[in-house]
Amino acid sequence: MISVDSPTATPDVDVRIVEGVAHVDDLDEFLATVDEIRAETGAVVQLFDARYVVSREHLTRAVALAERAAARDEAVARDRAVEVLLYAAGRRQIDRALEMGVSEGEVPTVAVAYAAGSGVDAGGEADIETAVDRLRDLLEPADTLCEVDRERVMDFFDVTDAELTATTGTLTDVVLERVALLDVEK
């Protein structure tokens, strides 16, 4: 298992996290803007509906495991951002994992940006600072990771009250376990 030394860094990967509220009138246009940020900066960028995210570690662990899978040529998805989404969701089904993504309306959002394998996806070094600046421009500033939507998270990750009662861990611990166990399920 990969250990995470700080809430915003994974081994060999400098993960930047941007929180805010997305105002999405047209999902296709919004996602096209995210794709422009990726193309312009060479960064891996993935946005999540923050109501499904239990902590910063949830995202940094997903990035670390996705990068490890890519380095071992074991990734399921061709796109690293999608691989991060799969790990964060703790499942291999892309359709189900997409539920964690942003949708139309006013959505509490958390975004990750990082350089994959030293910018390999972009053919060179990724411009993470520009990616972060563009993401900040895309989102209305807000703390979106301060509270966990317990019912939504329990439903999405199939966590039961009985499971929580049977463990000494918290809901966050159970979700982090689901993320880590995705490697075992391959």
Side-chain angles (χ1 to χ4, degrees), residues 25-158:
D25 295 325
D26 182 315
L27 186 58
D28 291 332
E29 281 182 30
F30 185 84
L31 295 176
T33 302
V34 174
D35 285 340
E36 287 172 14
I37 295 169
R38 289 179 184 140
E40 177 185 309
T41 64
V44 176
V45 175
Q46 184 58 270
L47 278 71
F48 299 90
D49 180 328
R51 297 172 295 183
Y52 293 91
V53 178
V54 296
S55 67
R56 288 176 175 271
E57 184 179 1
H58 180 179
L59 299 177
T60 57
R61 184 170 294 181
V63 168
L65 293 170
E67 282 300 300
R68 184 176 74 178
R72 293 178 175 177
D73 203 25
E74 296 174 351
V76 171
R78 285 174 270 158
D79 182 311
R80 282 198 166 136
V82 174
E83 190 74 9
V84 170
L85 176 67
L86 293 172
Y87 272 98
R91 54 184 40 100
R92 286 279 155 225
Q93 301 84 15
I94 292 174
D95 321 5
R96 183 81 163 114
L98 285 172
E99 190 176 322
M100 282 188 79
V102 295
S103 55
E104 290 187 350
E106 190 173 294
V107 183
T109 303
V110 60
V112 296
Y114 70 96
S118 299
V120 171
D121 284 354
E125 288 300 314
D127 184 355
I128 302 304
E129 295 306 323
T130 299
V132 168
D133 288 344
R134 294 277 315 272
L135 288 167
R136 284 188 181 127
D137 290 344
L138 192 60
L139 303 174
E140 177 186 322
D143 291 330
T144 59
L145 289 176
C146 53
E147 288 185 30
V148 173
D149 186 333
R150 185 178 174 84
E151 286 182 38
R152 183 181 304 263
V153 168
M154 287 179 68
D155 182 56
F156 182 78
F157 288 97
D158 300 318

